[in-house]
Amino acid sequence: MEALLCKKIGDPTVVPPTSSDDSSPLTLSTSHPIPQLNSPTAIRVRVKATSLNYANYLQILGKYQEKPPLPFIPGSDYSGLVESVGPGVSKFRVGDPVCSFAALGSFAQFIVADESELFRVPDGCDLVAAGALPVAYGTSHVALVHRAQLTSGQVLLVLGAAGGVGVSAVQIGKLCGAIVIAVARGAEKVQFLESLGVDHVVDLTKGSVTESVKGFLKARKLKGVDVLYDPVGGKLTKETMKLLSWGAKILVIGFASGEIPVIPANIALVKNWTIHGLYWGSYKTHKPAVLEDSLKELLSWLTRGLITVHISHTYSLPEANLAFSALKDRKVIGKVMITFDDGSSARSKL
């Protein structure tokens, strides 16, 4: 089968993975062994689409909190069709459309998972979109619904709002009835976020975040931000903390800026802030039922059109370096995907 192998730590954007240049950490194998069923309840899935997340990029760079032994096949969330089932499988049949997530291994034509880890994609639900759902939308759903318990009328501030998790947070925030303020960079991203019904968008190329948000809050007679959704970190976290109300909740999602922020404990004490670290993947070990309920609800929302997955870039597996480049260069609005079996080359929907 075709699979993308990470044989060493490095930048996945530097050269095409098909190149023999030793500077690439990635190698495209066209004859990698097809994974075999390893238990009676195992299922082999022919992958249709797999999502690129910032965590995948960091993992190949060696900068993610989990560092798998080399070599490994990167990848996390995916969708596809059931290709083979073990004798103990009762929930699925060959040909069923499914989606799921894994610690590793989705950047390949086939992946094996236990039936308990798979979710049936409902009829009428786009299979490629379902492959983009688990990590980005799952992160935002668990963060906003389970951790922050976001309610109607609260003010939600989303940093990095045009990225994969940012777009999902904006949509879920609106579904919860929140007043959503989004922060992004550039007119194109601002226009897209406005099309999602965001209440206020801050363009980082046009001045101060705090002044823009303060002006909006004053005009709407709002006291401050109730929930900060932060996948960016760095100076932006420090600046936006000035906007938080008494009793606000801070959701620490990630550090796309490359800088881990410091949240002063004395200010958190005085203002009664609650700080939630949100490592979505660890729920699979500690609270798998939360992930299961979350993804089922998200698939229902997707099927009913309550949320939409915006896929701005789609690539084939040999073009993985281009996919990582789009992610690295902040060209993506929403999600970037790798798809199989459609004969497509790199393209953009922007």
Side-chain angles (χ1 to χ4, degrees):
M1 71 172 181
E2 195 174 67
L4 195 68
L5 299 176
C6 179
K7 292 191 172 182
K8 65 178 182 178
I9 296 305
D11 187 345
T13 71
V14 290
V15 291
T18 52
S19 171
S20 60
D21 189 330
D22 287 342
S23 63
S24 175
L26 300 174
T27 299
L28 181 68
S29 172
T30 57
S31 57
H32 196 76
I34 294 175
Q36 300 301 302
L37 302 182
N38 51 16
S39 77
T41 54
I43 292 175
R44 184 164 59 235
V45 177
R46 177 182 286 273
V47 178
K48 169 63 179 177
T50 183
S51 169
L52 264 73
N53 298 289
Y54 198 68
N56 305 131
Y57 173 64
L58 291 177
Q59 198 167 51
I60 296 170
L61 286 174
K63 295 182 178 180
Y64 196 58
Q65 54 258 37
E66 293 180 351
K67 297 177 172 60
L70 297 167
F72 64 88
I73 299 174
S76 44
D77 43 354
Y78 63 92
S79 62
L81 299 175
V82 172
E83 192 264 346
S84 181
V85 299
V89 171
S90 59
K91 297 179 181 178
F92 299 95
R93 296 181 298 177
V94 171
D96 282 347
V98 294
C99 69
S100 189
F101 53 92
L104 297 168
S106 67
F107 288 9
Q109 285 182 299
F110 295 96
I111 189 169
V112 168
D114 191 81
E115 71 169 337
S116 64
E117 299 173 338
L118 292 173
F119 297 84
R120 195 185 191 287
V121 176
D123 295 339
C125 184
D126 182 76
L127 192 56
V128 175
L133 200 69
V135 173
Y137 282 79
T139 293
S140 295
H141 186 268
V142 171
L144 295 173
V145 176
H146 292 273
R147 297 298 293 275
Q149 297 182 341
L150 184 67
T151 57
S152 180
Q154 288 190 312
V155 178
L156 168 66
L157 176 60
V158 180
L159 307 185
V165 292
V167 170
S168 66
V170 164
Q171 292 189 56
I172 292 170
K174 292 300 294 182
L175 265 178
C176 290
I179 299 166
V180 179
I181 303 171
V183 179
R185 187 180 298 275
E188 188 175 31
K189 294 178 179 179
V190 168
Q191 185 178 8
F192 171 73
L193 290 165
E194 287 175 341
S195 75
L196 296 179
V198 170
D199 296 276
H200 181 67
V201 186
V202 181
D203 186 347
L204 288 174
T205 66
K206 293 185 176 180
S208 166
V209 174
T210 52
E211 292 305 313
S212 178
V213 175
K214 281 181 178 179
F216 170 76
L217 294 172
K218 184 177 180 180
R220 294 284 292 267
K221 297 181 180 180
L222 298 165
K223 293 182 179 180
V225 171
D226 299 301
V227 178
L228 172 63
Y229 183 97
D230 184 10
V232 178
K235 295 179 181 178
L236 196 55
T237 305
K238 183 177 180 181
E239 186 175 357
T240 52
M241 279 195 294
K242 301 172 185 177
L243 302 165
L244 301 184
S245 62
W246 185 95
K249 297 174 182 179
I250 301 171
L251 293 164
V252 181
I253 305 299
F255 315 108
S257 67
E259 182 181 344
I260 298 174
V262 174
I263 301 173
N266 59 324
I267 299 178
L269 183 152
V270 172
K271 294 197 173 183
N272 281 267
W273 290 344
T274 303
I275 302 163
H276 296 275
L278 199 286
Y279 176 28
W280 181 83
S282 65
Y283 271 77
K284 188 174 183 180
T285 300
H286 298 286
K287 290 188 175 181
V290 171
L291 290 192
E292 183 176 351
D293 292 344
S294 173
L295 193 48
K296 284 180 179 178
E297 183 162 42
L298 288 168
L299 283 167
S300 173
W301 287 353
L302 183 63
T303 305
R304 292 154 57 196
L306 298 177
I307 56 174
T308 57
V309 177
H310 182 78
I311 299 171
S312 66
H313 294 70
T314 307
Y315 298 90
S316 64
L317 195 61
E319 298 165 330
N321 69 298
L322 301 178
F324 280 111
S325 292
L327 199 68
K328 177 184 178 182
D329 297 339
R330 305 289 194 268
K331 295 178 181 178
V332 177
I333 297 179
K335 295 295 296 179
V336 56
M337 302 293 291
I338 289 175
T339 59
F340 295 83
D341 301 328
D342 60 2
S344 64
S345 59
R347 59 189 182 275
S348 171
K349 292 184 180 178
L350 291 178

